[in-house]
Amino acid sequence: LVPDAAGRGTALLAARTAADLPVAYGEGSARRHARAGAAVLDLALPGLRRDVDTRADLREAVALGVGPRTADALAQGRLHLAG
């Protein structure tokens, strides 16, 4: 389990098998995953830990560098940083 930058959501959850993966979503998912037995990895990887739920989050992700699909969506006007 790698929590998001805020420490509340989940940026990465991995397991050996799908049956070992107790999936939780939304606010507090990191806490729920940890309670279900996932080991918490506190990694200094800001790009991985950037969860995008708001436009402010998107602006921070753009500053870190986004992937080609997000960059294309921004360039085509399908995503907006303002507002």
Side-chain angles (χ1 to χ4, degrees), residues 1 8 10 22-38:
L1 159 66
R8 295 183 300 272
T10 302
V23 179
Y25 297 96
E27 184 76 23
S29 64
R31 182 183 68 249
R32 292 191 302 277
H33 287 130
R35 273 195 266 154

Side-chain angles (χ1 to χ4, degrees), residues 4-70:
D4 66 5
R8 295 183 300 272
T10 302
L12 175 73
L13 180 65
R16 291 178 192 251
T17 69
D20 294 332
L21 196 64
V23 179
Y25 297 96
E27 184 76 23
S29 64
R31 182 183 68 249
R32 292 191 302 277
H33 287 130
R35 273 195 266 154
V40 178
L41 304 175
D42 187 19
L43 304 176
L45 298 171
L48 170 65
R49 297 184 75 170
R50 173 53 42 214
D51 190 15
V52 177
D53 294 319
T54 67
R55 283 200 173 111
D57 293 340
L58 180 58
R59 285 190 290 275
E60 291 179 22
V62 168
L64 289 168
V66 295
R69 290 185 181 178
T70 303

